[in-house]
Amino acid sequence: MPKRKGMSLEEKRQTILKIYHSTGAVYSLKEMEGLASKQGVVSQSVKDVNQGLVDDGLVEMEKVGASNVFFAFPGKAIASKRTATVNLESEVARLKAHVSTLEEKAAALSAGRQDSEKRRQNMEDYETALALKTKQLEEVQRFKDNDPVKIERLEAQAALCKQGVNRWTDNIFSIKSYLVKKRGMYSKDVDKFLG
């Protein structure tokens, strides 16, 4: 007896959609599980496949009382495809008009740019000015590291750090002095303890 191969997700989707479209009825999830299992769809996967169809807009879901009912009509699918087609065609027409406008602008701009000696000289001047600007920006960036304000800020931070280090050193020596004089510990033991 050959093993039966399970249905793919797309086959399950098509089978469930076919049930909705062929009957045109409204179903609860339990009813759909029963009908789909008769068509060869595993009943445990019907809920997920049905929810996927709802998410994609191919099946409608309405809450009636405490339960959800599902339905799909072939006319709605056709109408939505027609609407999508019309929208895409209008987008294509809009983009074609935009392309032709851009082509006209490009032609108008290139018309005033005949190659002449003056234009070549202007382009060379432009390239030279652009190279000079790049070089000057690099130099400014290099000098930014030696900015007096930045150096002053770093010196202030270094002085603050030095004060903190001195405070901690004084505190350590105060603790060491206290432990040696008041608690009677040996200086070497305190040094080991404090690290």
Side-chain angles (χ1 to χ4, degrees):
M1 204 166 151
K3 273 192 163 182
R4 208 174 100 175
K5 183 184 168 218
M7 296 176 106
S8 71
L9 178 63
E10 189 56 36
E11 290 171 334
K12 291 175 187 177
R13 287 171 59 98
Q14 292 303 321
T15 302
I16 291 175
L17 261 178
K18 194 164 118 185
I19 293 170
Y20 281 120
H21 290 169
S22 64
T23 61
V26 176
Y27 297 105
S28 70
L29 186 60
K30 258 198 189 329
E31 293 169 335
M32 181 50 66
E33 286 175 350
L35 289 171
S37 64
K38 289 178 185 175
Q39 297 288 331
V41 178
V42 179
S43 62
Q44 289 86 356
S45 66
V46 171
K47 181 178 179 182
D48 294 332
V49 173
N50 201 36
Q51 187 60 45
L53 291 170
V54 170
D55 292 342
D56 292 343
L58 298 172
V59 173
E60 298 293 322
M61 179 185 81
E62 291 292 327
K63 189 160 186 74
V64 176
S67 65
N68 292 329
V69 292
F70 302 92
F71 57 92
F73 302 113
K76 182 178 184 281
I78 293 170
S80 67
K81 287 181 182 179
R82 281 187 186 142
T83 304
T85 303
V86 168
N87 290 341
L88 289 174
E89 287 172 351
S90 66
E91 181 69 14
V92 166
R94 187 187 67 78
L95 289 174
K96 283 183 179 178
H98 185 65
V99 166
S100 66
T101 303
L102 290 176
E103 287 174 348
E104 289 172 6
K105 281 184 182 179
L109 289 174
S110 65
R113 295 185 178 171
Q114 287 84 16
D115 198 25
S116 67
E117 185 60 37
K118 183 178 180 187
R119 186 171 191 290
R120 270 188 252 120
Q121 182 61 42
N122 287 343
M123 288 304 292
E124 286 177 20
D125 292 345
Y126 172 74
E127 294 295 329
T128 305
L130 202 57
L132 180 63
K133 177 185 173 189
T134 305
K135 183 179 173 186
Q136 288 175 343
L137 285 175
E138 289 171 359
E139 195 172 328
V140 165
Q141 194 64 30
R142 194 178 65 216
F143 286 136
K144 211 176 226 183
D145 295 335
N146 298 328
D147 184 18
V149 175
K150 189 175 180 182
I151 291 173
E152 193 174 299
R153 193 176 320 127
L154 288 174
E155 287 174 351
Q157 288 175 350
L160 186 66
C161 290
K162 185 178 177 184
Q163 288 175 357
V165 168
N166 288 336
R167 188 177 327 111
W168 276 96
T169 304
D170 290 343
N171 290 343
I172 291 172
F173 279 119
S174 296
I175 292 172
K176 182 179 178 182
S177 173
Y178 173 78
L179 292 174
V180 169
K181 290 181 182 174
K182 300 286 183 179
R183 295 292 177 188
M185 292 179 73
Y186 293 109
S187 180
K188 290 182 181 180
D189 292 339
V190 174
D191 287 341
K192 286 181 190 176
F193 179 69
L194 293 176

